[in-house]
Amino acid sequence: QRDFLTYDGTRFTVTAFSGWIKGVPHNGFKVEVSKGIILHLVDEVSSWLPGDRIVVASTDYSMHQAEEFNLLPCPECKSNQVKIDGSPLYLHIGEVIDGVDMRAEVGLLTRNILIQGEMEDSCYGQNQCQFFSFDTFGGHIKILRNFSSVHMSGVELKNMGQQILGSYPVHFHLAEDVDERGGYERPTYLDNLAIHHCFSRCVAIHGTHGLLVKDTIGYDTLGHCFFLEDGTEQRNTFYHNLGLLTRSGTILPSDRSEAMCLAIRSHVYGNYVPVPSTDCMAVSTFWIANPNNNLIENAAAGAQDVGIWYIFHRVPTGQSEGQYPEGHAEHTPLGVFYNNRVHSNFKAGLFIGKGVKTTRASAEDPREYLTVDNARFHPHQDADPEKPRVPAVIDGLIAFKNNDHGAWARGGDIIFRNSGFSDNGIGLTLASDGTFPTDEGSSLEVTRSIFVGESSNFGSQGGQNSYWGKGANGEYRTLPRNKTFPIRGFQIYDGPVRMAKCTFKKFIPTVDRYSSAIGFFMKNSWQISPQNNVSQILMEKSVGLKVFFGRSGQWFGSNDNDGDKMSIFHDLDGSVTGYPDTFIGRADNYLLRHPGCLTVPRWNGVMCTGKFAQLYIQARRPENLTLSIARAAYHSHPLRLQGVNRGAPYQQYQPVVMLEQAYVIQWDGRAPEDIILYPINFNRGDWLCVALCYPRESVFQVVADIYQRRTGTVHSVKHYLAAPSRASALSRTGERLFYFDRASGYLFVHLQAHEARKGHSYCSQQGCERIKIMAHMYPGDSWSCGPNPFPERPAAAQRPVSRHPAGLCRACGAPQKQNQSETPQPPSIKPTCFLLQINDTVFLFNRRGIFFMVLDACSGAVVSRRHFGTGVRAVLLISELTHPEGHSLCVCFSGSFAMLGYKGQAKPSWIKVLNHAGYQKAASLQHYVPLKLKEYQCPANGDESLKFAFSQNHSEHISVEAVAPRD
């Protein structure tokens, strides 16, 4: 068989064959034309030539669905088209789906200059052959300080790098400042490189600052691809790079797979066996070891573990030791993060958090040096925690088809905005480090973003995708993590976290798995803040389960950890529940309940009004007790908390409590000798009455003070006096009194906040107020107490939830998505649906015939409602108005024909046409129409504030007098 090429560029194949079939000879020639497949690309690619090789990224959960093709001659192709040989094995999405741009990246692997390593046929020698069947000893380029000029452009690097520390395809080694700050009039850059099929990273930046890495591809490589090494590297810019098929390597613990982690133990202490899930398994396409670097319009399109990982070195490591003080990187403000894409990664698309172990292995900590470790991101001005916070902004993140997380962020003051999360196991988890006792006043936020559970990107079987099963609509599709994994759009973990102006769609549970728009971290032994809140949320009609608190089972375990029981958030405006100023907690949490609450069984939740805060309890001697706390009005429904510091010098518990109530605290053993009570998230004047169970002969010393955590100082010390009665101790007169009832064994104290709290701080501006109870107890003294020492009274109703239902929200959801089903109709046309909403303007049509709407695709301005203007980059919307039987005026794309089109050179992927026969159901067209795309060739001074216009299918009339929450 041989391929031939005609003069006009047509490729054909001639096959000669001969053989015997059942004793009869057969021979001859067969001629076939190789037509190839034409790809339509966003960019102009006329410089790509026949014979060049490209890679098309996966748009599914598995990075292994990336595919390579050779380019064929294509005289009929336009400047943005190429013809490939062969047929793709997998589906590669080429459009914007449900508001999230899932178009596959296409990278050119061929360059004019080729640098490649000389390879053997298989692995040999000391090259980790137990892990690799192929030769991993390639070439490498190393650039050291004091060079005159380095500018690499148009270079292909293949078979480069080695599984040896310091030998990488392109390696800037301790080059220091390589931009103007270093004296270079022409700052150093890498531009238009193709680094593929390499054996150790792509671009390693070590002790180097101010480097530009632009338009570079890193494909099918081992270990962290775009790699910052010691934690000192700053001011580097990664612009419009593509990384995909990032595989595990052996050099660092964080590079290693599970098998490598367990096998490579030469640098651990003694017989320590690494724990792969926590020590290793972190290989990332972009490994960013210092936050002060810029990532703009990059794509991390498939890594064994993480697409982009911001990791924090508590102190500089390697050859950069001593270059900044301890904790500096964790407090350094984030550089620019704008319009990056992360998909097809196994663990997470974007991960912000964790660090590396910065000490050598020892008996105290036997783990290997640079093992993945704990760290927190708390950005402050000049990296000084005493100066103002500088929020880290993640702007324009697109995260889809990541097996576990679209994005995870732990730390303080991180803001996600203008982002899209689709088809992830969990869209976004915000794990604010702002709950007591760490990082006073911090919080996280997501705003103006879209969350999609199961889009119409069904994916493909194969390519190491593990799970193929039925989706919510009954069609087969690829699934994240497991067929039964509970999908969540936004996941709350500790707090405080905030969500505003976000849109959710297509979260529909099935018989096999839960799928909810809002959920909580599973098997959570930590704590959750009642300051977690949501507002202006649009839940589209395709959301079958808005909130879910979990149930015992495969993924949630017993669903009985401290944090599981305390899960809570605040619906500020009622956009999720239908009732403003409502707290949503778990159904069996009687610390929150009152007779005015509403139970939502499908959520396993309860909606309550009231004032809620936290009671933080520290206990010493002993530290291993289970605490039981009950509200006096519901004393038969206590909540049991295990605490979160087993084996620590003290134990801590943090129940969420309703303010201005009485609480009963007992233990599963004799009470601790030292107990400290902190009123957390209390405003000035907020109070609780607390009764604690002790042995009958106990003697007490009770002290109030204010603890300033940042300085470690204590002030305003006041001693409590013994009161003659319980009533006097709890009278709220301002006196510092306690009362011990020896008959019942209960110590009564009144806990009140006297100082003002500000912002997201959980303590007052003066510090954390607290009451310290020191008890002297005699051996053998009985410590059992009755269930409730307070007078038996029925629970008092707070404001009933059902009394004030929320009105329909006019401005809910992400700005790139209009209200779908809850837009109130103008009184004069109450039953009529609108045709189109652009930003906040609704356009209606109410005459028979064909309707035309013309927009400027760059600004969103309406140019005409009748005809096309000249020279306009235009979005066209056409719909035929009909009058369905039984409806006086209800249009909304309800005719037999609906179309989205475009006038101009480009052919955007969102163009749609739908048509139905008159007797069939009406044509229905719902689509996001993005503005200001590069392909529109918009002028540079276009209006930045108008980014999206959207078409709409229909809008139901919803009564403003809702009487029950919807699931």
Side-chain angles (χ1 to χ4, degrees):
Q1 185 179 80
R2 184 172 177 181
D3 292 338
F4 294 88
L5 195 65
T6 66
Y7 180 78
D8 65 355
T10 301
R11 182 180 294 271
F12 64 95
T13 301
V14 176
T15 304
F17 61 92
S18 66
W20 292 81
I21 301 177
K22 295 183 178 180
V24 178
H26 289 266
N27 57 73
F29 291 88
K30 182 170 60 176
V31 181
E32 297 174 295
V33 177
S34 303
K35 294 182 179 180
I37 295 174
I38 293 179
L39 302 183
H40 303 264
L41 307 180
V42 171
D43 300 312
E44 192 272 335
V45 290
S46 56
S47 63
W48 296 12
L49 302 175
D52 285 352
R53 194 154 181 82
I54 66 169
V55 59
V56 181
S58 168
T59 54
D60 207 349
Y61 293 110
S62 173
M63 66 178 183
H64 298 282
Q65 288 191 6
E67 298 188 70
E68 297 179 48
F69 302 96
N70 290 319
L71 298 188
L72 300 175
C74 186
E76 71 272 26
C77 284
K78 298 179 181 178
S79 63
N80 68 324
Q81 295 177 326
V82 293
K83 182 183 286 187
I84 62 172
D85 63 344
S87 299
L89 296 175
Y90 310 110
L91 173 68
H92 300 272
I93 295 297
E95 61 182 319
V96 178
I97 297 179
D98 295 317
V100 179
D101 188 349
M102 298 191 192
R103 291 176 292 182
E105 298 85 2
V106 179
L108 179 68
L109 301 179
T110 306
R111 297 293 188 276
N112 289 335
I113 301 170
L114 172 62
I115 302 174
Q116 63 180 347
E118 182 181 359
M119 309 311 297
E120 302 297 329
D121 293 335
S122 61
C123 188
Y124 64 92
Q126 304 299 312
N127 290 320
Q128 306 287 359
C129 296
Q130 69 271 39
F131 304 119
F132 306 107
S133 60
F134 50 89
D135 182 4
T136 61
F137 196 83
H140 66 107
I141 297 173
K142 193 169 187 177
I143 302 160
L144 290 84
R145 68 167 68 97
N146 297 327
F147 53 78
S148 296
S149 175
V150 173
H151 302 97
M152 290 182 65
S153 181
V155 180
E156 179 182 352
L157 298 111
K158 180 181 179 182
N159 297 336
M160 301 288 283
Q162 303 158 11
Q163 283 294 294
I164 299 172
L165 187 67
S167 297
Y168 315 124
V170 182
H171 178 197
F172 282 84
H173 179 72
L174 301 176
E176 300 179 345
D177 296 314
V178 297
D179 55 1
E180 294 92 340
R181 190 176 296 188
Y184 293 94
E185 293 183 6
R186 294 184 62 219
T188 308
Y189 63 76
L190 306 177
D191 179 22
N192 190 28
L193 307 186
I195 303 169
H196 64 94
H197 299 93
C198 289
F199 312 120
S200 180
R201 318 212 182 289
C202 306
V203 177
I205 302 175
H206 182 197
T208 299
H209 322 291
L211 177 66
L212 172 64
V213 182
K214 177 186 176 187
D215 291 329
T216 291
I217 297 172
Y219 164 59
D220 199 357
T221 57
L222 306 180
H224 306 308
C225 180
F226 297 96
F227 174 66
L228 304 183
E229 189 160 342
D230 285 348
T232 60
E233 299 80 13
Q234 300 189 58
R235 298 182 295 99
N236 301 290
T237 296
F238 297 93
Y239 177 75
H240 200 250
N241 302 289
L242 168 62
L244 66 165
L245 208 62
T246 304
R247 305 175 190 266
S248 300
T250 63
I251 296 176
L252 294 178
S254 54
D255 286 323
R256 296 170 192 158
S257 66
E258 180 177 9
M260 296 170 181
C261 191
L262 293 171
I264 301 174
R265 295 165 55 187
S266 56
H267 296 291
V268 303
Y269 183 86
N271 295 319
Y272 174 72
V273 178
V275 181
S277 62
T278 55
D279 293 2
C280 306
M281 297 177 68
V283 68
S284 304
T285 300
F286 292 84
W287 180 264
I288 309 300
N290 188 295
N292 186 23
N293 291 280
N294 305 313
L295 275 73
I296 303 168
E297 296 190 0
N298 301 285
Q304 182 60 44
D305 292 309
V306 175
I308 301 173
W309 195 324
Y310 284 92
I311 197 93
F312 303 94
H313 291 229
R314 184 167 296 277
V315 296
T317 55
Q319 298 181 59
S320 302
E321 285 186 12
Q323 292 192 16
Y324 61 68
E326 183 175 356
H328 184 89
E330 295 165 66
H331 292 107
T332 297
L334 189 76
V336 176
F337 186 104
Y338 181 71
N339 278 10
N340 296 290
R341 298 161 54 81
V342 291
H343 63 87
S344 310
N345 301 286
F346 190 77
K347 270 192 177 179
L350 170 66
F351 199 101
I352 302 175
K354 296 288 187 180
V356 294
K357 182 174 181 282
T358 57
T359 58
R360 304 291 171 177
S362 65
E364 291 75 25
D365 188 344
R367 297 174 302 158
E368 183 177 342
Y369 180 57
L370 298 181
T371 289
V372 178
D373 204 356
N374 289 322
R376 302 288 188 267
F377 184 38
H378 310 136
H380 286 260
Q381 181 181 324
D382 301 326
D384 184 349
E386 299 298 324
K387 291 185 177 180
R389 299 176 182 277
V390 181
V393 178
I394 305 298
D395 195 353
L397 174 70
I398 297 296
F400 67 92
K401 292 285 184 175
N402 298 288
N403 262 282
D404 197 347
H405 272 87
W408 165 288
R410 176 178 282 288
D413 299 281
I414 304 172
I415 298 172
F416 286 77
R417 69 188 186 196
N418 303 319
S419 297
F421 305 88
S422 183
D423 297 276
N424 304 289
I426 301 164
L428 171 65
T429 293
L430 295 184
S432 171
D433 205 27
T435 48
F436 192 79
T438 48
D439 199 22
E440 168 71 17
S442 70
S443 64
L444 280 83
E445 176 182 296
V446 56
T447 183
R448 300 169 176 262
S449 297
I450 297 175
F451 295 84
V452 183
E454 292 183 3
S455 76
S456 54
N457 176 0
F458 296 127
S460 308
Q461 279 187 287
Q464 297 190 25
N465 266 333
S466 299
Y467 302 105
W468 178 259
K470 285 188 178 180
N473 63 356
E475 297 189 44
Y476 280 89
R477 61 184 298 127
T478 51
L479 299 169
R481 286 286 298 271
N482 189 290
K483 289 183 179 181
T484 59
F485 182 74
I487 294 170
R488 281 142 288 166
F490 178 59
Q491 179 172 257
I492 299 172
Y493 184 23
D494 51 58
V497 301
R498 304 181 305 282
M499 179 171 59
K501 295 184 178 178
C502 291
T503 297
F504 291 86
K505 64 186 305 182
K506 298 186 177 179
F507 290 91
I508 304 175
T510 70
V511 294
D512 296 320
R513 66 186 171 278
Y514 297 106
S515 180
S516 63
I518 300 174
F520 298 85
F521 187 78
M522 298 183 296
K523 301 179 183 178
N524 177 19
S525 61
W526 194 236
Q527 52 207 6
I528 290 209
S529 169
Q531 288 196 86
N532 297 327
N533 64 74
V534 303
S535 61
Q536 294 180 276
I537 306 304
L538 174 60
M539 296 280 183
E540 293 196 354
K541 292 176 69 176
S542 58
V543 174
L545 191 60
K546 294 181 180 179
V547 182
F548 189 52
F549 287 85
R551 295 190 191 279
S552 331
Q554 175 186 6
W555 295 99
F556 297 93
S558 62
N559 203 27
D560 200 40
N561 291 354
D562 289 7
D564 299 329
K565 297 173 182 177
M566 286 299 162
S567 298
I568 189 172
F569 70 93
H570 187 187
D571 185 0
L572 297 176
D573 60 355
S575 55
V576 171
T577 63
Y579 303 100
D581 192 19
T582 301
F583 287 83
I584 303 91
R586 212 170 83 169
D588 58 357
N589 185 351
Y590 280 80
L591 301 187
L592 310 180
R593 279 183 171 271
H594 58 77
C597 296
L598 292 179
T599 302
V600 190
R602 288 196 67 216
W603 300 1
N604 190 22
V606 63
M607 305 190 313
C608 299
T609 56
K611 295 168 62 179
F612 299 92
Q614 290 157 289
L615 177 61
Y616 177 76
I617 304 166
Q618 281 185 350
R620 292 182 176 86
R621 296 193 297 270
E623 297 81 38
N624 61 348
L625 299 178
T626 296
L627 175 148
S628 172
I629 180 170
R631 218 169 74 239
Y634 293 103
H635 60 84
S636 59
H637 295 278
L639 209 63
R640 291 178 173 83
L641 304 177
Q642 299 291 321
V644 297
N645 280 345
R646 295 283 168 172
Y650 64 87
Q651 187 53 269
Q652 63 185 50
Y653 316 83
Q654 194 165 332
V656 175
V657 293
M658 180 184 289
L659 295 169
E660 301 178 7
Q661 302 290 316
Y663 288 87
V664 182
I665 295 176
Q666 301 191 54
W667 310 85
D668 65 343
R670 196 172 74 162
E673 295 177 25
D674 296 335
I675 294 175
I676 306 177
L677 305 178
Y678 291 82
I680 301 301
N681 290 314
F682 280 49
N683 294 318
R684 178 188 286 166
D686 289 343
W687 58 270
L688 297 177
C689 293
V690 181
L692 302 100
C693 176
Y694 283 94
R696 305 297 195 275
E697 301 302 319
S698 301
V699 177
F700 300 95
Q701 181 183 2
V702 182
V703 178
D705 61 28
I706 298 178
Y707 175 52
Q708 184 56 259
R709 291 184 56 254
R710 190 167 291 171
T711 61
T713 58
V714 174
H715 61 92
S716 305
V717 179
K718 293 182 174 63
H719 289 267
Y720 274 60
L721 301 176
S725 68
R726 180 185 64 196
S728 57
L730 304 179
S731 62
R732 305 198 299 275
T733 60
E735 291 187 85
R736 310 276 183 164
L737 301 173
F738 71 88
Y739 174 70
F740 184 52
D741 183 347
R742 294 191 183 279
S744 67
Y746 278 105
L747 174 73
F748 295 89
V749 294
H750 178 71
L751 184 66
Q752 182 170 350
H754 297 86
E755 305 293 340
R757 187 174 61 87
K758 183 179 180 181
H760 299 288
S761 296
Y762 37 79
C763 292
S764 76
Q765 294 174 271
Q766 305 301 315
C768 293
E769 300 178 72
R770 61 185 187 175
I771 296 177
K772 301 169 69 175
I773 303 171
M774 292 152 281
H776 178 70
M777 294 170 280
Y778 297 94
D781 197 359
S782 173
W783 46 264
S784 62
C785 299
N788 181 26
F790 292 97
E792 290 281 355
R793 294 173 184 164
Q798 306 291 311
R799 175 173 58 85
V801 169
S802 58
R803 195 172 289 173
H804 300 285
L808 295 175
C809 183
R810 295 177 179 271
C812 284
Q816 59 263 50
K817 179 72 183 77
Q818 87 286 350
N819 280 4
Q820 179 176 16
S821 62
E822 299 189 359
T823 299
Q825 308 303 323
S828 60
I829 50 171
K830 193 169 185 178
T832 306
C833 307
F834 60 76
L835 168 71
L836 176 71
Q837 178 169 332
I838 305 164
N839 297 323
D840 294 325
T841 304
V842 175
F843 295 89
L844 300 162
F845 66 91
N846 52 15
R847 296 192 299 272
R848 301 179 69 87
I850 303 295
F851 184 81
F852 292 82
M853 173 76 76
V854 183
L855 320 178
D856 187 304
C858 293
S859 68
V862 176
V863 177
S864 173
R865 297 179 64 182
R866 300 184 183 86
H867 63 277
F868 279 102
T870 57
V872 176
R873 303 171 187 85
V875 174
L876 167 64
L877 177 66
I878 308 175
S879 183
E880 182 180 2
L881 174 64
T882 62
H883 288 254
E885 200 171 69
H887 297 81
S888 60
L889 198 63
C890 187
V891 285
C892 313
F893 294 87
S894 58
S896 58
F897 176 72
M899 172 179 162
L900 279 170
Y902 183 87
K903 178 189 177 186
Q905 299 270 337
K907 289 189 176 178
S909 63
W910 45 258
I911 291 174
K912 299 283 183 182
V913 178
L914 290 177
N915 191 21
H916 287 287
Y919 59 86
Q920 294 178 319
K921 74 171 188 177
S924 175
L925 184 59
Q926 174 184 343
H927 208 75
Y928 298 83
V929 180
L931 302 183
K932 302 192 72 127
L933 292 181
K934 286 182 180 178
E935 59 201 87
Y936 302 160
Q937 300 177 355
C938 296
N941 59 352
D943 182 4
E944 290 291 336
S945 65
L946 296 174
K947 290 190 176 180
F948 294 87
F950 299 97
S951 63
Q952 155 84 0
N953 60 349
H954 68 279
S955 178
E956 294 181 354
H957 173 60
I958 304 294
S959 170
V960 297
E961 297 182 358
V963 294
R966 293 187 305 275
D967 288 344

